[in-house]
Amino acid sequence: MGKSRAMPSASAAPSESWPWPLAIRASAAWHVAAIGAGALVPGAMPWAIGAIVLNHALITGAGLTPRSSLLGPNVTRLPAAAGARRQVAITIDDGPDPEVTPRVLDLLDAHGQRATFFCIAERVLAHPALAREIVARGHSIQNHTARHRHNFSFLGPRGFASEIARAQDILADTTGQRPTCFRAPAGLRNPFLEPVLHRLGLSLVSWTRRGFDTREGDPAKVMARLDRKLQARDILLLHDGNAARTPLGNPVLLEVLPLLFERLRAERLHAVTLPEGLEP
């Protein structure tokens, strides 16, 4: 778990059939074997039920582990080519926020850095001009669902398709750019998600490390989490929506970003958008 897989280029179209991950194929075979043993071997039914419960626990655990790739491809780092280019990706979730996002854009411009905003589509509907400004200023908007539902990881195929496809349409209609990347709320999911993403031409992207800036108001502590083993190819997670506040009431993201930019300069790293960083 946690191992990233190769990601197709932004222009790549999905293939006609979904390539079932090895873990899902193994899970299906495990179910068949357990049911068969329970039906055919005297006294084996309790063991068969236990085996199925264990399998479900493993699959559930993978869905509750945002950086896991057991349920399908999951980008946790940029490709090797981005490392050669000394690139990292700063991803900013849960916006756009009319108070915080414009100030984030000004900071990015002032430091010559680029970011990817995983936006909630209904917030884009509420602030369309701000979403268009994000794109006009050289950044990228990607899919973070239509509503950021707290029960997202419990949805089935129809629920996933409805939530994600609606977000795709809203974001494309508003910004003129159709997302190629998707991030689940809190990174949580289940085995039904990947086939939907495949059909919609989206790649799941999680992160290398996160600042936990929705609950931590101390910029130094948020920065320490991001700075731990910081290197080229990292995907960093921060938030403009639901941002925690410093003791003085300032969104913590706004105090973390200058610290992060200084650190990037010291390491000769440059922040780019995900579509740029994922180019081979």
Side-chain angles (χ1 to χ4, degrees), residues 199-221:
R199 189 163 62 250
L200 294 173
L202 288 165
S203 294
L204 181 68
V205 177
S206 56
W207 52 82
T208 311
R209 59 184 53 83
R210 61 190 302 182
F212 290 98
D213 56 325
T214 59
R215 68 188 194 200
E216 176 57 68
D218 184 340
K221 290 182 179 179

Side-chain angles (χ1 to χ4, degrees), residues 25 49 68 73 83-84 91-92 94 113 192 199 203 210 242-243:
R25 296 199 301 269
I49 293 173
S68 169
T91 62
I92 302 176
D94 294 358
Q113 306 288 352
F192 297 115
R199 189 163 62 250
S203 294
R210 61 190 302 182
N242 306 310

Side-chain angles (χ1 to χ4, degrees), residues 162-232:
S162 175
E163 182 79 8
I164 299 169
R166 179 168 175 256
Q168 282 288 91
D169 291 341
I170 290 172
L171 298 177
D173 290 346
T174 304
T175 68
Q177 296 183 2
R178 197 162 193 85
T180 57
C181 300
F182 173 80
R183 178 172 288 158
L188 307 182
R189 60 203 189 280
N190 67 47
F192 297 115
L193 176 61
E194 178 56 31
V196 173
L197 296 182
H198 182 79
R199 189 163 62 250
L200 294 173
L202 288 165
S203 294
L204 181 68
V205 177
S206 56
W207 52 82
T208 311
R209 59 184 53 83
R210 61 190 302 182
F212 290 98
D213 56 325
T214 59
R215 68 188 194 200
E216 176 57 68
D218 184 340
K221 290 182 179 179
V222 174
M223 183 59 202
R225 293 188 181 104
L226 299 176
D227 194 27
R228 192 175 297 119
K229 299 181 180 179
L230 180 67
Q231 58 188 305

Side-chain angles (χ1 to χ4, degrees), residues 20-109:
W20 289 82
L22 177 61
I24 301 301
R25 296 199 301 269
S27 175
W30 186 273
H31 276 71
V32 171
I35 292 171
L40 300 175
V41 179
M45 184 58 71
W47 295 98
I49 293 173
I52 291 174
V53 170
L54 177 62
N55 178 261
H56 279 261
L58 177 63
I59 296 299
T60 300
L64 295 175
T65 306
R67 302 180 70 247
S68 169
S69 59
L70 275 179
L71 302 183
N74 185 7
V75 180
T76 62
R77 301 193 72 200
L78 299 178
R85 298 190 294 260
R86 304 294 297 165
Q87 293 174 338
V88 300
I90 298 173
T91 62
I92 302 176
D93 287 15
D94 294 358
D97 180 281
E99 175 193 357
V100 180
T101 307
R103 297 165 69 184
V104 170
L105 294 175
D106 289 343
L107 283 171
L108 288 163
D109 281 355

Side-chain angles (χ1 to χ4, degrees), residues 111-158:
H111 292 269
Q113 306 288 352
R114 293 290 175 262
T116 298
F117 292 78
F118 277 94
C119 289
I120 300 170
E122 289 193 350
R123 292 192 178 184
V124 167
L125 276 181
H127 308 288
L130 181 52
R132 286 190 285 268
E133 184 178 359
I134 290 172
V135 172
R137 290 168 76 163
H139 310 290
S140 174
I141 285 182
Q142 299 296 331
N143 191 326
H144 198 38
T145 75
R147 291 177 288 170
H148 203 273
R149 297 171 54 160
H150 294 300
N151 67 341
F152 179 82
S153 62
F154 294 100
L155 297 179
R158 288 186 180 181

